[in-house]
Amino acid sequence: MAKKIQKASLFQGREGLRFAVMILMAVVVAAIALGTLDTFTTTGKVEPKVIEPVVPDITLPPLDKKILAEAKDSTPIQRLETEASVYEHLLACAAYIVPGSLQAMGLQEGSIAALRADSDKWRGKPVAFEGRIVDLRTPTAIPGVDVWKKTEGMLETDEGEHVFFAVLDKVPADLSPGKYARIEGFFYKLRDFKFPNRYDKVPHIVGFALRPAFHKFEPVKELDKTYLSTIQDNVETPSEIDTNALYHVTSWLENQTMDTAWYEAAKDLDRKDVESMLSASSDSPRGQVFRVLAELYDAQTRLAEPNPLGITHWTRAWVKHSDQETIQVNIPGRLEGEWHTGDVVVFYGAFLQRYWYESGFDDSGMRIQRIVPLFVATKLFHWQFKENPANLWIRLALLAIAVLLIAAFSFLVFRDRKAEQEVRDRLIENRRRKRKQQRT
């Protein structure tokens, strides 16, 4: 009877188990080498869609050039008079002023010299002036209008010139004589005033609201914590942003040398930090720069209120962090490029305060209210894995190790299997000889 030859197999017995473990180890090493292991996993709860800046529906004020042409200011007598039809027409048009409408019409920082040189050219054009309030009159009724009252007053510019204004909206209580304010509106005509003080060829501006203005200040090089100490966010619904702190921190960030060392010095945000921020305690890390890696929920760009930094737009972005459902970051300027909900993003921002806002409705129709950490940053980045130049050699080395592991374990398995088979063959041959001897 011919001897049956048993082929060696890598998948039998203890050798098979050892070989399987070896293959698993090699696969893990290869996966690391090829960079296939995820370093950030999204929740998948955000439906991807393109994020576009929200542009308000702007209706331009219905200025009538024929009515505006009735305004005259060439002579002292004309400058003492107000043409009721023109004045009331501009007041009516001022009611249409909404954020962005004057900018869409070509709003410019006013030049008194230019207005005096050619007032007819500027008639009805949108202009803006800033200055100290030197006169603020009691609101008075507008003939035929029940909704609005006009408030007139005078600003003194930094150059010592004067601007007369009229607005429809109620002037805030904190804008009293002596305060710095800004008027944006339509140029009506040049005016002369004889009482109580004499002013000649003063531009008359008709707008919707008188707003606070800010003297330009020097760029912030060092963060002053006294600005942060005035923040009052330890209330039930902290819905007000401390503008003095906001502009101070924003200027400080804009003047940082954001090199590699600056980015690497930023602390990664963790749960302990978030808890401290939301507690509004005395040890809250206001002004500290954090690195925040998160998913993008949404972003909106809006026109900025008058500010000392000359910022024309603010972008507000909401992100989901692993340790906080929602975080808000305010960024000066527009959000450029293409962004989608669910994008993995990163920003390096300074924590400012905790902030309350309403964010739509839930499934039961109840309005969602949230208190979130509010950060200030100069940019929002798409998160990408940064490739180290040495990674190629590291990967090649790991792949070489994986290949050597496979080869070494394969050699050992085959060698051990061959040796075991030789022992079995000798045992079988010895038994055959003994049986043969017994028969003889």
Side-chain angles (χ1 to χ4, degrees):
M1 180 176 176
K3 179 175 71 174
K4 183 178 180 181
I5 300 175
Q6 186 175 3
K7 294 183 178 180
S9 174
L10 296 176
F11 303 101
Q12 292 181 356
R14 292 172 296 176
E15 292 82 2
L17 178 61
R18 183 168 60 180
F19 190 73
V21 172
M22 177 272 298
I23 290 293
L24 179 61
M25 291 172 59
V27 169
V28 171
V29 171
I32 295 174
L34 295 175
T36 58
L37 298 180
D38 288 339
T39 55
F40 186 89
T41 304
T42 61
T43 61
K45 295 181 180 179
V46 182
E47 181 182 354
K49 67 177 182 181
V50 176
I51 294 176
E52 298 178 352
V54 179
V55 179
D57 185 13
I58 297 175
T59 301
L60 297 181
L63 291 172
D64 189 324
K65 292 184 178 180
K66 292 183 178 180
I67 297 177
L68 294 177
E70 297 175 12
K72 305 297 180 182
D73 56 8
S74 298
T75 68
I77 297 298
Q78 291 173 341
R79 292 194 293 271
L80 286 172
E81 298 174 345
T82 56
E83 299 84 0
S85 59
V86 183
Y87 197 7
E88 291 170 9
H89 174 64
L90 287 174
L91 288 168
C93 289
Y96 289 85
I97 295 176
V98 296
S101 58
L102 293 180
Q103 285 79 0
M105 298 175 68
L107 177 68
Q108 297 185 42
E109 295 299 316
S111 167
I112 293 179
L115 296 178
R116 288 173 176 169
D118 194 351
S119 59
D120 289 337
K121 173 185 175 181
W122 288 90
R123 195 93 59 208
K125 297 290 181 64
V127 292
F129 286 96
E130 294 182 356
R132 183 174 59 88
I133 302 174
V134 294
D135 183 24
L136 193 61
R137 303 177 182 179
T138 303
T140 59
I142 302 173
V145 178
D146 297 328
V147 179
W148 305 106
K149 290 185 177 182
K150 66 178 179 182
T151 301
E152 296 176 329
M154 189 84 74
L155 298 181
E156 182 179 343
T157 67
D158 293 338
E159 295 75 26
E161 297 282 5
H162 292 84
V163 177
F164 189 74
F165 65 84
V167 294
L168 297 179
D169 199 21
K170 183 179 179 181
V171 176
D174 57 347
L175 283 183
S176 56
K179 297 297 180 66
Y180 207 65
R182 179 180 176 89
I183 177 64
E184 296 179 352
F186 306 112
F187 170 62
Y188 167 28
K189 64 184 293 184
L190 298 175
R191 298 281 306 277
D192 286 351
F193 297 90
K194 304 299 182 182
F195 182 82
N197 298 304
R198 178 169 179 168
Y199 302 107
D200 294 327
K201 294 186 177 181
V202 172
H204 187 163
I205 310 300
V206 180
F208 179 73
L210 187 68
R211 303 187 182 281
F214 304 86
H215 289 285
K216 301 295 187 292
F217 57 76
E218 293 297 321
V220 178
K221 302 295 185 180
E222 296 291 336
L223 191 64
D224 187 347
K225 293 296 183 71
T226 57
Y227 282 89
L228 302 176
S229 64
T230 62
I231 295 175
Q232 300 294 327
D233 61 351
N234 57 343
V235 295
E236 185 176 355
T237 57
S239 56
E240 297 295 328
I241 298 177
D242 190 309
T243 54
N244 287 327
L246 172 66
Y247 298 140
H248 182 81
V249 171
T250 302
S251 179
W252 175 69
L253 286 173
E254 289 180 334
N255 287 282
Q256 293 297 295
T257 303
M258 294 185 179
D259 52 14
T260 302
W262 188 88
Y263 286 116
E264 291 179 348
K267 182 180 185 299
D268 284 325
L269 184 69
D270 58 30
R271 183 179 298 277
K272 185 177 180 181
D273 298 319
V274 172
E275 291 174 351
S276 177
M277 294 170 182
L278 295 180
S279 68
S281 59
S282 58
D283 61 347
S284 183
R286 304 189 198 280
Q288 183 176 346
V289 176
F290 291 87
R291 175 181 180 271
V292 181
L293 179 65
E295 286 182 76
L296 182 61
Y297 271 144
D298 197 6
Q300 296 177 355
T301 298
R302 290 286 189 271
L303 289 168
E305 294 288 339
N307 59 83
L309 303 180
I311 296 171
T312 58
H313 294 80
W314 277 102
T315 295
R316 299 179 300 169
W318 295 269
V319 300
K320 174 180 173 54
H321 185 260
S322 57
D323 291 317
Q324 171 65 18
E325 177 64 25
T326 306
I327 289 174
Q328 180 175 327
V329 55
N330 287 9
I331 303 168
R334 298 175 180 270
L335 190 63
E336 303 293 346
E338 186 172 307
W339 303 82
H340 305 79
T341 56
D343 284 351
V344 181
V345 297
V346 64
F347 67 83
Y348 297 80
F351 170 66
L352 186 68
Q353 65 176 87
R354 67 177 197 147
Y355 184 62
W356 173 91
Y357 71 96
E358 295 181 335
S359 59
F361 299 89
D362 59 18
D363 296 336
S364 59
M366 300 295 291
R367 186 171 289 277
I368 301 172
Q369 300 182 9
R370 290 177 176 168
I371 294 180
V372 301
L374 173 63
F375 288 80
V376 182
T378 57
K379 291 182 180 179
L380 185 69
F381 300 96
H382 286 286
W383 183 81
Q384 294 180 341
F385 183 76
K386 186 177 180 180
E387 190 71 29
N388 190 319
N391 282 352
L392 176 61
W393 298 106
I394 295 173
R395 289 176 179 176
L396 291 175
L398 290 174
L399 285 173
I401 292 172
V403 172
L404 289 175
L405 282 174
I406 294 174
F409 275 95
S410 299
F411 172 76
L412 292 174
V413 169
F414 276 114
R415 188 193 65 178
D416 292 349
R417 188 64 178 162
K418 183 178 179 181
E420 183 181 354
Q421 188 63 41
E422 290 177 351
V423 171
R424 289 177 181 175
D425 290 343
R426 284 198 297 270
L427 290 174
I428 293 173
E429 184 62 27
N430 289 336
R431 288 174 186 160
R432 289 181 65 238
R433 288 176 182 173
K434 288 181 180 179
R435 288 179 187 150
K436 186 175 180 181
Q437 291 175 356
Q438 289 176 355
R439 290 194 191 105
T440 58

